[in-house]
Amino acid sequence: MVAAAAREIADEGSLEGTVERAVQMCTETMRDCDMAAISIVEHGSIETIAATSKVLHDTDQWQFQHREGPCYDALHDHETVTVIDVAEDHRWPTYGPRLARETGLRSIIGYRLFTTRKSLGALNLYASRVGAFDHQDVTEGHALAGVAAVAVARSLREEQLQEAITNRTVIGQATGIVMERFELDSNTAFGVLRRVSQATNIKLYAVAERLVETGWLPRAGHKDPPPS
C-alpha cells in the first residue's frame, strides 16, 4: 500500500501536484492520520505549500510565532519528531496546548524532507487521538516522506530550470531589440542591458522584460516609460 502510494507521488509532474498528492496519500494510506501538511522555510519565514486542511496553514504559523513545535524541531534540530500527546508535551508549553485546544489534534509525526543552503522542508502528520501513531506508522511515514522529499526536490529543480530558460529567452529577445535599435553586436547590446540594470538597481531580467513588453528601457529615478 505504501509502496504504491510512493509510486503515485513520484509520478506527479508539477510541484503543486506532487505536494498535494503527497499529503493526500498520507491520510489515505495511514490508518490514523487525520491531516497532513508539507511546509518549507525560506528567508526566516514558513510557508505551508500543501495541506489537507486549511487549519494547518494557521498552526504552522503558530509554531513560528512561538518558536516551538514538531515542525519547527523537525526543520531545525531533528530529522524525525514524534508526539504522543501535544497537549502534555513539555517541549512545547505554548504551542502544544493551543493546538489541542483550538484544533483537537493530539498526536503528530514530523519528518524533515530536505535541507539546502536556502531552504528547509518538512512533512507533518496529525491525528486527533492521543498515541495514535505506533512504530509501524513512523516507518511507513518515513517511506512516504522519503519519496515526497525526492519528488519535491525534483519538482523544485524543474521549476527553477524552467524559470532560468524563460529568463534567458526574455534576455535574448531584449538583446536582439537593442542590437537592432542601436546597430550593435550581441556582446555590446547585452552590456547595455547590464549597465541599465546596474544604474537603475533593477534585476537584469526585469530590465529585459520591460524592454520586450513596452519597447523602453527603464531609466534611473523613473519607474514608467518616458512620455511619447
Side-chain angles (χ1 to χ4, degrees):
M1 190 76 171
V2 173
R7 285 193 295 271
E8 287 193 38
I9 295 171
D11 287 341
E12 289 290 342
S14 66
L15 174 59
E16 181 179 359
T18 296
V19 295
E20 290 293 343
R21 191 58 183 146
V23 295
Q24 289 173 5
M25 293 304 290
C26 289
T27 58
E28 291 172 6
T29 62
M30 299 183 68
R31 62 183 183 275
D32 287 315
C33 181
D34 297 316
M35 299 182 190
I38 291 177
S39 304
I40 292 178
V41 173
E42 290 184 305
H43 310 299
S45 63
I46 189 168
E47 178 185 3
T48 306
I49 61 173
T52 57
S53 174
K54 186 179 182 299
V55 70
L56 297 182
H57 291 266
D58 296 329
T59 61
D60 274 350
Q61 294 305 317
W62 297 349
Q63 294 190 60
F64 241 63
Q65 290 171 14
H66 302 307
R67 302 187 70 82
E68 60 180 54
C71 176
Y72 194 86
D73 283 4
L75 289 170
H76 291 88
D77 300 315
H78 305 287
E79 292 192 0
T80 304
V81 177
T82 58
V83 183
I84 295 174
D85 184 359
V86 72
E88 302 295 333
D89 198 302
H90 68 276
R91 292 173 290 182
W92 312 301
T94 304
Y95 164 80
R98 182 180 184 183
L99 181 71
R101 182 175 63 252
E102 298 191 29
T103 70
L105 296 172
R106 304 297 286 269
S107 300
I108 308 173
I109 314 175
Y111 300 95
R112 185 188 299 167
L113 292 183
F114 61 85
T115 303
T116 70
R117 289 186 303 169
K118 296 183 178 180
S119 61
L120 300 164
L123 169 67
N124 304 286
L125 313 180
Y126 302 84
S128 56
R129 183 170 64 84
V130 172
F133 299 120
D134 59 19
H135 178 72
Q136 180 179 349
D137 294 318
V138 174
T139 301
E140 291 179 354
H142 267 297
L144 292 171
V147 175
V150 172
V152 170
R154 181 200 66 197
S155 298
L156 285 171
R157 285 196 298 270
E158 289 176 353
E159 288 198 351
Q160 291 164 353
L161 176 61
Q162 185 57 52
E163 182 181 359
I165 292 171
T166 300
N167 289 355
R168 289 177 64 90
T169 300
V170 172
I171 291 171
Q173 291 172 342
T175 300
I177 293 173
V178 174
M179 289 173 63
E180 181 178 2
R181 183 174 298 178
F182 300 105
E183 298 183 352
L184 302 173
D185 60 49
S186 60
N187 289 337
T188 306
F190 179 77
V192 170
L193 294 176
R194 189 169 54 188
R195 286 194 294 274
V196 171
S197 172
Q198 294 169 347
T200 58
N201 198 29
I202 298 174
K203 289 185 177 180
L204 179 62
Y205 169 75
V207 169
E209 185 179 45
R210 180 83 60 85
L211 177 60
V212 171
E213 291 182 351
T214 69
W216 293 98
L217 286 167
R219 297 178 297 166
H222 296 78
K223 294 183 178 180
D224 300 318
S228 57

